[in-house]
Amino acid sequence: MNSKDERPTKFRRSTSTRDTIMKAIIDWPGHFSAEELSGSLPSVSRASVFRTLAALQESTLICRVLVDGGTTRYRFGGGQHHHHLVCLECGEIQDIPDCDADEFSRRIASRHGYTIASHQLELYGYCSNCKTLD
Amino acid sequence: MNSKDERPTKFRRSTSTRDTIMKAIIDWPGHFSAEELSGSLPSVSRASVFRTLAALQESTLICRVLVDGGTTRYRFGGGQHHHHLVCLECGEIQDIPDCDADEFSRRIASRHGYTIASHQLELYGYCSNCKTLD
DNA sequence: CATTAATTGAGACTTTATCTCAATAGTGTA
DNA sequence: TACACTATTGAGATAAAGTCTCAATTAATG
Ligand SMILES: [Zn+2]
Ligand SMILES: [Zn+2]
Ligand SMILES: [Zn+2]
Ligand SMILES: [Zn+2]
């Protein structure tokens, strides 16, 4: 699936509700919570927002960012596998396009007898702005 | 902090409540949810279990495992930084003692102007048992 | 247009976690 | 040991996050 195809396999019909949600996600500046997204779309039910968010995560159209402390935020994923850099001070989230995990994965997989299907990596730290303050 | 010191800096007094919780965590076979831990300790309040769990995560005495799909499980961390291998079929969770993230971290850090403080990596796949079934 | 099944909305419900605050109990000092 | 001080706890209220139900709506197909 490429990033222009806004309909994951799971969806069998295209609907205006989902168009509305997708547009909001793509246009959202930065990251958002499910609740924030839902709140910004009064014409769409909460259930639909959660359903769409869940379905989109199966593709890489949406990525879930695990903010330190356990809160979950989302952002448009652009259709590319990637990881995140989260600033612990200001909360900024940057995408990291490179992924080095494959070789590591293979080594671990053979050592533990696993077949690796996916992985999740998040880096936490301080952005250039925040590390010069305090 | 080493794994024998069962009192993170955040705690200023040692209490029997926390001793009870720590013992349950150390003795727990495998991973558990906050609710399961709390349920197994009727003499300890839920709030104390959550408070202790949160405090212990600041050290590596407890590690939080992010199970695919968003559920959170915990396990005794042994005081060592490590990652996890989660079986998507049976839910088994293995610790991965090696961590290759440092070099990757440094490269990303300089490229994005970040100072990296920590990271989280989880691998998802199928254990040797489950991959032969189905 | 009619049929069929996917999708939706509204709200109840569940799960997970945090908060409040009075009561309890460590810890250091006398 | 007794006292003062304050960290910690318990119980329950509350909040946050996500799921579920089901009748009504709507896309797709012919
Ligand atoms: Zn991303
Ligand atoms: Zn990766
Ligand atoms: Zn672990
Ligand atoms: Zn690591």
Side-chain angles (χ1 to χ4, degrees):
Chain A
M1 153 139 8
N2 71 56
S3 63
K4 292 304 173 204
D5 179 356
E6 295 170 8
R7 179 162 28 145
T9 5
K10 162 152 197 180
F11 298 131
R12 310 206 175 158
R13 295 178 182 174
S14 66
T15 69
S16 65
T17 297
R18 228 178 293 113
D19 286 352
T20 304
I21 297 174
M22 273 310 302
K23 184 170 184 336
I25 289 173
I26 293 173
D27 291 347
W28 200 284
H31 49 93
F32 53 87
S33 67
E35 222 60 60
E36 285 169 349
L37 180 60
S38 178
S40 80
L41 299 170
S43 70
V44 176
S45 72
R46 254 177 102 262
S48 290
V49 169
F50 275 95
R51 273 186 295 240
T52 303
L53 238 28
L56 289 177
Q57 282 173 76
E58 293 173 10
S59 69
T60 48
L61 280 178
I62 270 289
C63 50
R64 180 186 3 211
V65 185
L66 302 158
V67 178
D68 214 28
T71 62
T72 300
R73 300 191 67 78
Y74 302 90
R75 47 160 47 199
F76 179 55
Q80 292 292 318
H81 169 81
H82 63 271
H83 300 287
H84 302 113
L85 211 38
V86 182
C87 179
L88 297 170
E89 186 67 31
C90 70
E92 183 201 67
I93 298 170
Q94 282 190 25
D95 280 358
I96 306 170
D98 334 86
C99 174
D100 268 20
D102 280 349
E103 198 220 314
F104 180 65
S105 284
R106 267 195 297 278
R107 192 165 60 251
I108 297 300
S110 69
R111 186 173 307 160
H112 292 254
Y114 264 64
T115 300
I116 307 295
S118 65
H119 64 263
Q120 176 134 30
L121 169 66
E122 313 279 24
L123 302 183
Y124 304 97
Y126 300 93
C127 70
S128 46
N129 265 114
C130 294
K131 72 182 173 190
T132 54
L133 307 175
D134 76 308
Chain B
M1 156 142 7
N2 72 55
S3 62
K4 292 305 174 204
D5 179 357
E6 295 170 8
R7 178 159 32 142
T9 5
K10 162 154 196 179
F11 298 131
R12 307 204 177 160
R13 295 179 182 175
S14 67
T15 69
S16 64
T17 296
R18 227 177 294 114
D19 286 351
T20 303
I21 298 173
M22 274 309 305
K23 182 168 185 341
I25 290 172
I26 293 174
D27 291 346
W28 199 284
H31 48 94
F32 54 86
S33 68
E35 222 60 58
E36 286 168 347
L37 180 60
S38 179
S40 80
L41 299 170
S43 68
V44 175
S45 73
R46 255 171 53 77
S48 289
V49 169
F50 275 95
R51 274 186 296 239
T52 303
L53 239 29
L56 289 177
Q57 281 174 77
E58 294 172 10
S59 69
T60 47
L61 280 178
I62 271 288
C63 50
R64 177 179 14 206
V65 185
L66 302 159
V67 178
D68 215 26
T71 62
T72 300
R73 300 191 67 79
Y74 302 89
R75 50 159 48 201
F76 179 54
Q80 292 292 316
H81 169 81
H82 63 272
H83 300 287
H84 302 113
L85 211 38
V86 182
C87 179
L88 297 169
E89 185 68 30
C90 69
E92 183 202 67
I93 298 170
Q94 282 189 25
D95 281 359
I96 305 170
D98 333 87
C99 173
D100 269 20
D102 280 349
E103 199 220 312
F104 180 65
S105 284
R106 268 194 298 276
R107 192 165 60 252
I108 297 300
S110 69
R111 186 174 307 159
H112 291 256
Y114 264 63
T115 299
I116 306 296
S118 65
H119 63 263
Q120 176 135 31
L121 169 67
E122 313 278 24
L123 303 183
Y124 304 97
Y126 299 93
C127 70
S128 46
N129 265 114
C130 293
K131 72 182 173 189
T132 55
L133 307 174
D134 76 306

